[in-house]
Amino acid sequence: MTNETLTVTDNRTGKTYEIPIENETIPAAALRKIKVDPDDFGLMTYDPGYGNTASCKSAITYIDGDKGILRYRGYPIEQLAEQSTFLEVAYLLIHGELPSKDELERWENDVMHHTFVHENLARMVEAFRYDAHPMSILISALSIMSSMHADAKDVQNAAARKKQVLRILGKLPTVAAFAYRHRIGRPYNYPNSDLSYTGNFLYMLDYMKQTHYEVNPVLAKALDVLFILHADHEQNCSTAVMRNIGSAMADPYVAMSGAAAALSGPLHGGANEAVVKMLGVIGDEKHVPSYIERVKKGDFRLMGFGHRVYKNYDPRARIVKQIAYDVFKVTGTDPLLDIALKLEEVALQDEYFVSRKLYPNVDFYSGIIYRAMRFPTDMFTVLFALGRAPGWLAQWLELITDEEQRIARPRQVYLGAEERAYVPLGER
Ligand code: SDX
């Protein structure tokens, strides 16, 4: 018997069981052997929110929540944010290695030549009310793209998978820009593949037929780094949805439509929008202490604070905070930043937050930057989705090629009624 096992005694029967330990986990299926009667179902684990359950084996992203470590394919997020580009990071996440110069050039060219969307999709955006939430448009756009690319359903075909990856990475910024232009009632700017990924995105958002329009390089760089910081985050809520839908062998467009729907929730990717609204409600630094007291009473949560995994400062939040200063040099500062800094200062000295290991997460400062760049608040989660797209795709590709993966189908603890006979309406 190796010592890489768990010896479990079932006190109901006195029987002991040897359960193998692998990668700091035990196979949940081993618990099914623990029974009182031979025809029992056996034991399961009960884990609402899956906070203690490994759903897959992955080689993409490593997080150490206690130490505040985040690495994509082994590379520290701080080095990637400092030295890489978003498309290079997307390549790294999807292919597992940093590209050579030629590989990167080919990859950038391939993505930037898949930026045009079907005209039917452009018209679909116009079918929404001008003030429709752009996440609704993005979620719908991914679904309509599924109907436009039938080859996507052949998920076992590597070439078909690669094609959808390029289409999604290329077209999502165009969808986001069209949603924004529809919102402000301005004509679409069609993609310009001569520009960088974020440069083209900013161009599609802002170009108003100026004769000498130029993308601001500081803002394009800031957006590029923000996308890097959002690119993947192991088995977060939306990625788990991408994997769940993908496990049914549905195509990556509808899987990502579901992932984007999960991301739109205020506890997940919608938090950056909620942070800016919260800072607006606080209104002034002098109201921070009273607001914190209401959070501690449980009236509401401090949006942008806390994390299921990070029990230390989210390493991404530290980098985002630095980007804010770079952006403000171009856009001018924002009073909300002063409120956010005061909020962080007060919260990090307060026992309520310290004892619960609640620190700023990636959403705490990102919304302030997006606002300074004049994005409407309801575009913030769309920006999160643009950043997260390569992570969702990398995780989906890993799932599809993982021999151990099966269709997702959790079990339950049934606490409902025992069998009972139907009572006809006249007798109730
Ligand atoms: C993202 O998973 C990912 O990786 C996500 C993400 C990614 O990149 O994909 O990192 C992106 O979603 C970041 C998180 C953005 N969400 C928010 O900022 C919303 C506010 N944060 C919380 O709602 C909360 O912190 C969660 C949802 C992020 C995490 O919740 P958990 O792990 O389920 O924590 P919990 O609900 O069990 O709370 C533990 C305690 C509770 O207090 P007690 O009941 O023990 O007294 O901490 C409290 C909670 O009330 N708490 C908070 C709080 N977060 C947790 N109290 C006040 N403000 C908060 N923000």
Side-chain angles (χ1 to χ4, degrees):
M1 176 185 71
T2 71
N3 61 357
E4 289 299 301
T5 60
L6 209 55
T7 301
V8 174
T9 300
D10 181 349
N11 295 320
R12 299 172 299 175
T13 62
K15 285 184 186 168
T16 59
Y17 302 82
E18 293 304 317
I19 298 177
I21 297 171
E22 181 195 339
N23 301 314
E24 300 293 301
T25 63
I26 58 167
L31 301 174
R32 293 283 300 281
K33 296 187 180 70
I34 304 176
K35 304 179 179 187
V36 175
D37 298 320
D39 56 3
D40 281 359
F41 181 82
L43 296 188
M44 294 191 290
T45 58
Y46 173 56
D47 189 15
Y50 310 116
N52 305 289
T53 297
S55 62
C56 64
K57 293 173 180 173
S58 179
I60 298 170
T61 291
Y62 174 74
I63 298 173
D64 181 323
D66 292 329
K67 297 190 183 114
I69 291 172
L70 170 59
R71 299 183 196 129
Y72 294 159
R73 300 288 187 178
Y75 295 97
I77 190 68
E78 294 82 359
Q79 294 180 27
L80 294 171
E82 175 73 28
Q83 304 176 55
S84 188
T85 64
F86 176 63
L87 279 188
E88 182 176 74
V89 166
Y91 182 100
L92 170 67
L93 288 168
I94 288 166
H95 298 87
E97 298 297 334
L98 287 170
S100 67
K101 188 170 180 300
D102 290 347
E103 285 167 336
L104 182 58
E105 278 177 16
R106 196 173 323 120
W107 170 252
E108 288 171 340
N109 184 66
D110 286 349
V111 170
M112 291 309 293
H113 285 82
H114 281 85
T115 51
F116 273 70
V117 297
H118 194 295
E119 280 298 302
N120 288 4
L121 199 166
R123 299 292 78 77
M124 177 211 77
V125 174
E126 291 157 8
F128 284 82
R129 274 173 43 128
Y130 80 94
D131 60 352
H133 198 295
M135 279 303 283
S136 297
I137 296 174
L138 185 80
I139 292 161
S140 306
L142 281 159
S143 180
I144 196 174
M145 285 164 77
S146 167
S147 71
M148 292 172 170
H149 304 296
D151 57 327
K153 301 205 181 323
D154 187 4
V155 297
Q156 300 299 351
N157 178 320
R161 293 198 296 265
K162 180 172 187 234
K163 187 74 175 175
Q164 311 327 315
V165 165
L166 295 174
R167 283 171 171 156
I168 289 171
L169 292 178
K171 298 175 194 302
L172 279 195
T174 308
V175 172
F178 282 13
Y180 174 75
R181 297 291 285 193
H182 175 58
R183 144 75 53 81
I184 62 175
R186 295 290 186 274
Y188 296 149
N189 291 312
Y190 279 76
N192 176 349
S193 57
D194 294 340
L195 298 172
S196 70
Y197 193 80
T198 48
N200 171 54
F201 180 49
L202 291 173
Y203 160 77
M204 291 191 288
L205 290 167
D206 299 335
Y207 180 55
M208 291 287 200
K209 305 301 179 208
Q210 303 93 319
T211 46
H212 300 298
Y213 173 83
E214 276 193 16
V215 172
N216 184 305
V218 172
L219 300 185
K221 174 63 178 169
L223 213 45
D224 197 82
V225 176
L226 284 163
F227 284 0
I228 288 173
L229 297 175
H230 286 82
D232 191 57
H233 216 237
E234 56 135 286
Q235 304 313 311
N236 59 85
C237 179
S238 53
T239 297
V241 168
M242 183 85 187
R243 279 179 170 262
N244 266 21
I245 298 174
S247 75
M249 298 296 131
D251 70 67
Y253 297 103
V254 291
M256 194 174 287
S257 183
L263 188 74
S264 70
L267 291 190
H268 188 13
N272 51 20
E273 181 179 350
V275 167
V276 168
K277 285 181 182 154
M278 172 186 74
L279 296 172
V281 165
I282 295 172
D284 187 292
E285 285 181 54
K286 64 177 183 289
H287 300 144
V288 164
S290 59
Y291 192 87
I292 289 278
E293 287 313 308
R294 291 192 61 194
V295 169
K296 289 160 64 178
K297 276 196 323 190
D299 289 356
F300 30 63
R301 290 199 162 185
L302 193 56
M303 301 313 278
F305 255 69
H307 198 277
R308 173 64 57 77
V309 175
Y310 288 123
K311 301 308 172 190
N312 197 323
Y313 209 102
D314 183 333
R316 302 167 297 176
R318 216 185 293 283
I319 300 169
V320 173
K321 196 172 165 183
Q322 183 47 48
I323 295 171
Y325 294 104
D326 302 338
V327 169
F328 290 160
K329 284 179 196 147
V330 173
T331 61
T333 188
D334 184 327
L336 294 189
L337 178 64
D338 299 328
I339 300 172
L341 291 169
K342 183 70 178 169
L343 206 50
E344 177 183 345
E345 178 201 326
V346 172
L348 294 189
Q349 292 166 19
D350 189 298
E351 181 50 28
Y352 175 93
F353 298 91
V354 173
S355 64
R356 291 169 178 78
K357 298 185 177 180
L358 301 176
Y359 293 87
N361 59 49
V362 67
D363 292 304
F364 190 63
Y365 287 104
S366 54
I368 299 169
I369 296 175
Y370 295 143
R371 190 178 112 110
M373 294 174 75
R374 304 293 183 272
F375 283 104
T377 37
D378 59 13
M379 280 290 286
F380 294 179
T381 309
V382 171
L383 298 173
F384 193 143
L386 295 186
R388 185 53 52 89
W392 285 332
L393 288 166
Q395 298 277 350
W396 170 72
L397 290 167
E398 188 174 66
L399 161 92
I400 294 294
T401 53
D402 181 344
E403 297 296 321
E404 290 187 353
Q405 284 300 324
R406 304 186 302 162
I407 187 169
R409 207 280 185 215
R411 308 306 296 263
Q412 64 174 12
V413 173
Y414 178 69
L415 300 178
E418 293 302 320
E419 183 178 359
R420 51 185 172 167
Y422 180 78
V423 178
L425 187 56
E427 297 171 23
R428 289 181 214 152

